Amino acid sequence: MTLVDWLILVFYLVGSVCLGIFLAGRNSNEDDYFIAGRRLTGWLAGASMAATTFSIDTPLYVAGLIGTRGLAGNWEWWSFGLAHVAMTVVFAPMWRRSGVLTDAAFTEIRYGGSAAAVLRGVKAFLLAGPINCIGIGYAFLAMRKVAEALGIVDGHYVFGFFTDTSLLLLIVALFMIVYTALGGLWAVVLNDFAQLLLALAGAFILSFTVVHASGGMSQMLLSLEALDKPELLSIFPWVWKGNGFQWIGGAGISIATFIAFLSLQWWSFRRSDGGGEFIQRLLATQNEHQAEIAGWVFLVINYLIRSWLWIVVGLGALVLLPSQQDWELSYPTLAVQYLPPVALGIVVVSLVAAFMSTVSTSLNWGASYLTHDLYKRFIRPEASQKELIFIGQITCVFLLIIGISTALVSNSIGSIFRLVIAIGTGPGVVLVLRWFWWRINAIAELAAMTSGFFIGLTTSVLPVLRIDDYGLKLIVTTFITALVWLIALLLTPPESDEVLEKFVRIVRPPGPGWERLRERFGVKPVDSLKSLITRFLLSVGILFGMLFASGGFLLHQQRGGWLGLICAVLCVFAMKRNSLIKVLSLH
């Protein structure tokens, strides 16, 4: 990096801190600090959601998938598009109607009594502590790997006891914690918007440069085909040969794993109805309509725009870096080798911005649990708003320290990503059912969450119980977790009518699972279950149709591109027709 590259980075860091200090005056209570006073537009909330998942680790993770499994390896995260569509068209309006500050607090609207209180406390602790800090940790791990690949640090000791790597992480963390702790969600979201623009610009610059260095897209594709690895350019882990399908062994995806991706992972994972930081953004929007807009903005940016920017760089690395050992490092390595000054500075800033957007969100989100759901709920219910903001700031620092410590003992971003999925698998079906079936109670959700966490953890880290096949691990975890929560449900009573009535009146849930109670309390649902299912299926067709269309045309796979485009267009027309029928039926 040249002097001008460093100046670009310093200017960005100082600007982020100044914005956080400027916005600190907006925070007069915990609603302002944690959900921006519920004043976010859908566009700003959606951009923040996209920035949050556009971390420094994600382009490295995708580059690692391409290098080890090929294009089809992306189904490991593409499959979550199904859950994100459900979040957008099904759950976003209901979350916004609930009016809670966190999804942990939601448990004491949906359930009642001491069981609900215990569930809220356990959920807040697990999400803010182990799960959140692991996520922060692998963001810092990616930052460490990028810094090492760029030659900024080499791991030598300074001042006798600090390595230059840990010192760099602390310096970047210091800038980030200032604007996060002082400015709250407003500072996080507005910085997210700027960080998203920088991240997209950096990803575009690097992908364009990589394609140019490979001799253009046509030449790059020819070079990839010459490697005789069909998984590199196949969207699915199979190819059509002769009169049938042939599974691609080189993709490293077993049939069980691929089936688990599409039919199990997205609804069994703990984010099946939204996910903590996403729910935080939905709760921070102005109304239900803006919450749904936020979901669509996120879907477009996350899957249709940046997805292929990352993939192109990963594919280019196979051509330009044939002897690369750690494919996760191919992303920053290409930046160093092929980008000139200024362009390199922009890409480095884009990666730092992506890192800061993710970690700042995790800090504010985790602090909301520790402050609102643990400190205020169980320790000091009478705490003043000023005190709650102070506790939120202190817990941000606490979570950051744990996250940095996690990064210094890890080496593989992909492995940590799969661990996060494993320990969060199992409770997803209960999280979905609680919106549609009155019989789900607090004990069932608590059993699903804790059993899924421990089963996923033991089958990932304990040698005796370890399951190496990722798909098989998800199936086993989901099945055992289901047995646990179903037994717990059958052995415990349902929630009281008083609790159920409160939930029905606030959320107005759809489906036959609430019909008897809706009629009893005189409440009409906002949408019918049939309408929601139809919108979900059509929206899935739009998202994945456009994903395949953009990828097909980009990679010169014209047939797949046209099929994807036709599917998306037909679903758009069907969606409009369905919306028109709904409007006419209301009149």
Side-chain angles (χ1 to χ4, degrees):
M1 289 178 61
T2 64
L3 177 62
V4 67
D5 296 323
W6 281 106
L7 289 175
I8 292 172
L9 178 59
V10 171
F11 178 77
Y12 163 73
L13 292 174
V14 173
S16 297
V17 170
C18 291
L19 181 60
I21 295 172
F22 173 75
L23 292 171
R26 286 191 174 212
N27 299 316
S28 58
N29 54 56
E30 63 172 343
D31 275 13
D32 290 332
Y33 192 78
F34 292 122
I35 53 173
R38 302 192 198 276
R39 297 195 297 272
L40 296 185
T41 64
W43 290 94
L44 189 57
S48 178
M49 291 160 65
T52 295
T53 52
F54 198 147
S55 178
I56 193 172
D57 58 274
T58 39
L60 274 66
Y61 162 70
V62 171
L65 282 179
I66 296 293
T68 56
R69 296 184 176 183
L71 184 57
N74 287 281
W75 281 106
E76 186 168 276
W77 68 279
W78 277 347
S79 62
F80 285 108
L82 296 163
H84 290 143
V85 168
M87 173 196 73
T88 299
V89 301
V90 177
F91 297 109
M94 291 194 288
W95 273 117
R96 186 59 186 85
R97 287 198 295 272
S98 73
V100 295
L101 192 141
T102 68
D103 55 327
F106 171 79
T107 59
E108 290 198 289
I109 289 181
R110 176 59 179 84
Y111 313 118
S114 58
V118 171
L119 173 61
R120 179 178 180 176
V122 171
K123 176 172 281 193
F125 172 76
L126 286 179
L127 293 179
I131 292 174
N132 189 37
C133 289
I134 288 174
I136 294 172
Y138 75 71
F140 270 98
L141 168 62
M143 180 70 184
R144 189 190 90 194
K145 296 184 78 166
V146 167
E148 292 170 349
L150 295 174
I152 299 174
V153 294
D154 57 14
H156 74 272
Y157 279 89
V158 293
F159 306 123
F161 53 92
F162 268 121
T163 65
D164 60 349
T165 303
S166 58
L167 185 62
L168 175 68
L169 295 181
L170 287 172
I171 291 172
V172 174
L174 180 62
F175 278 95
M176 180 184 56
I177 196 63
V178 170
Y179 83 75
T180 303
L182 289 178
L185 189 63
W186 270 116
V188 172
V189 168
L190 292 179
N191 267 304
D192 277 353
F193 183 74
Q195 289 159 351
L196 178 64
L197 295 179
L198 283 170
L200 289 173
F204 177 79
I205 289 171
L206 185 56
S207 61
F208 179 84
T209 302
V210 166
V211 171
H212 179 73
S214 301
M217 181 60 75
S218 297
Q219 182 57 49
M220 187 176 82
L221 294 176
L222 289 174
S223 299
L224 290 169
E225 290 173 359
L227 296 175
D228 195 27
K229 294 182 177 180
E231 69 272 12
L232 296 182
L233 294 174
S234 177
I235 289 180
F236 296 98
W238 64 73
V239 291
W240 178 266
K241 283 193 175 182
N243 57 354
F245 290 101
Q246 180 179 329
W247 202 261
I248 304 175
I253 304 174
S254 67
I255 296 177
T257 296
F258 188 70
I259 292 174
F261 285 160
L262 292 186
S263 64
L264 186 108
Q265 177 177 261
W266 64 276
W267 59 261
S268 183
F269 189 52
R270 61 178 175 83
R271 293 175 175 269
S272 58
D273 65 344
E277 62 269 40
F278 285 1
I279 294 170
Q280 184 189 39
R281 299 304 191 276
L282 299 176
L283 292 169
T285 56
Q286 297 168 357
N287 52 50
E288 298 167 34
H289 178 62
Q290 293 299 319
E292 193 165 346
I293 289 175
W296 276 111
V297 170
F298 165 73
L299 287 173
V300 171
I301 296 174
N302 188 60
Y303 292 97
L304 304 185
I305 298 178
R306 71 182 183 191
S307 178
W308 293 106
L309 293 176
W310 292 338
I311 289 170
V312 164
V313 175
L315 292 173
L318 295 168
V319 175
L320 299 174
L321 304 172
S323 59
Q324 182 75 23
Q325 297 297 314
D326 186 345
W327 288 107
E328 290 180 351
L329 288 179
S330 63
Y331 198 93
T333 300
L334 287 171
V336 171
Q337 292 190 10
Y338 291 95
L339 291 177
V342 179
L344 177 60
I346 292 173
V347 170
V348 170
V349 169
S350 75
L351 291 172
V352 173
F355 160 79
M356 293 174 71
S357 66
T358 296
V359 176
S360 63
T361 287
S362 296
L363 294 175
N364 183 271
W365 169 59
S368 71
Y369 290 128
L370 297 178
T371 303
H372 184 69
D373 299 300
L374 291 178
Y375 185 80
K376 181 181 178 181
R377 174 63 178 83
F378 297 104
I379 300 174
R380 276 183 55 82
E382 72 280 4
S384 66
Q385 293 298 317
K386 184 177 180 181
E387 180 181 346
L388 292 174
I389 291 176
F390 175 73
I391 294 298
Q393 293 169 337
I394 293 298
T395 51
C396 280
V397 177
F398 173 72
L399 291 171
L400 182 63
I401 293 172
I402 297 177
I404 294 176
S405 302
T406 304
L408 296 175
V409 296
S410 307
N411 286 303
S412 172
I413 296 169
S415 296
I416 297 179
F417 177 84
R418 284 181 278 277
L419 174 61
V420 170
I421 301 299
I423 62 178
T425 295
V429 64
V430 177
L431 300 183
V432 170
L433 286 176
R434 66 184 179 176
W435 295 95
F436 300 105
W437 187 27
W438 67 275
R439 186 59 181 86
I440 297 295
N441 60 19
I443 298 297
E445 184 174 335
L446 181 62
M449 181 178 62
T450 53
S451 60
F453 179 85
F454 287 111
I455 294 167
L457 185 64
T458 54
T459 55
S460 297
V461 301
L462 289 184
V464 177
L465 299 175
R466 183 183 178 92
I467 301 175
D468 292 322
D469 187 286
Y470 183 64
L472 182 60
K473 182 192 300 181
L474 295 183
I475 293 170
V476 169
T477 302
T478 302
F479 178 74
I480 297 176
T481 303
L483 287 178
V484 172
W485 74 258
L486 282 170
I487 292 172
L489 182 68
L490 293 173
L491 295 178
T492 53
E495 300 297 333
S496 68
D497 283 352
E498 181 183 359
V499 170
L500 295 175
E501 179 181 3
K502 180 182 178 182
F503 177 76
V504 168
R505 292 191 182 279
I506 292 175
V507 177
R508 290 174 286 164
W514 293 97
E515 185 174 2
R516 178 181 61 84
L517 292 168
R518 286 197 309 266
E519 291 178 353
R520 179 178 173 184
F521 303 134
V523 176
K524 291 185 177 181
V526 177
D527 293 288
S528 69
L529 184 60
K530 179 182 177 181
S531 174
L532 289 177
I533 292 174
T534 301
R535 285 162 56 193
F536 168 73
L537 294 175
L538 293 175
S539 297
V540 167
I542 294 171
L543 177 67
F544 284 94
M546 290 305 301
L547 178 69
F548 300 152
S550 54
F553 292 131
L554 179 67
L555 301 179
H556 299 181
Q557 299 173 8
Q558 303 297 329
R559 183 174 62 180
W562 281 112
L563 288 174
L565 182 60
I566 291 170
C567 174
V569 170
L570 290 176
C571 288
V572 167
F573 279 113
M575 179 85 83
K576 287 188 173 183
R577 180 176 178 273
N578 187 58
S579 299
L580 179 61
I581 291 174
K582 178 182 175 182
V583 171
L584 292 175
S585 65
L586 292 176
H587 292 283

